[in-house]
Amino acid sequence: NNSDTKMDNEDIDKANNSDGTIGLKACVCFSRGRDWFQGFLIEGSKTTHGFVAEELSDLSVEEVEEKSGGFHRCAFSAEDPPKMYGLNLQHFQTSKQVNLKPIACTNGDNVKLDHPKGVFFFRTERFFVDDDAVSQAKSLFPELSASTDLFCVGEAQLDVKAFDTESSEE
């Protein structure tokens, strides 16, 4: 059902804010082991951005808290701490790129992705695992489908002003 993965123009207009944030849909494909993920942002029926993220395995939660200025360890479960990623996001129309660090990944298969300063977030609305994930990934990520076991579809928000920064690192 395509209505699960598309927002109509009225929904997009309501989600777009004057502060530079835009509401989008997203598809995210995770590798087995969750050491990287790749995805697309969709505005209406048009794919507008792509992203790739790699795990920042060398950062502790304490270091992330100190460097990010937005995450605090009390917001995360001690039993299931977040994985931290560096995310490279590209705008397809302008080819501009921005690197966002750290992106916290929480909530198991029902993935939540967050940047501490609110530049980017993603919330899963529907997820597929194992063979179902491979089937879903084949249409958007054919070269990655054999290496995935989690495919998520959901809502995302992006602050487009991130592409206006002098530095490529947020």
Side-chain angles (χ1 to χ4, degrees), residues 52-63:
V52 176
E54 291 186 19
E55 185 178 8
L56 302 172
S57 56
D58 57 333
L59 286 180
S60 68
V61 173
E62 291 78 15
E63 289 172 307

Side-chain angles (χ1 to χ4, degrees), residues 19-39:
D19 65 357
T21 58
I22 55 173
L24 305 160
K25 286 290 187 176
C27 297
V28 185
C29 183
F30 285 83
S31 70
R32 296 181 195 279
R34 310 289 189 272
D35 54 339
W36 58 264
F37 60 86
Q38 184 171 337

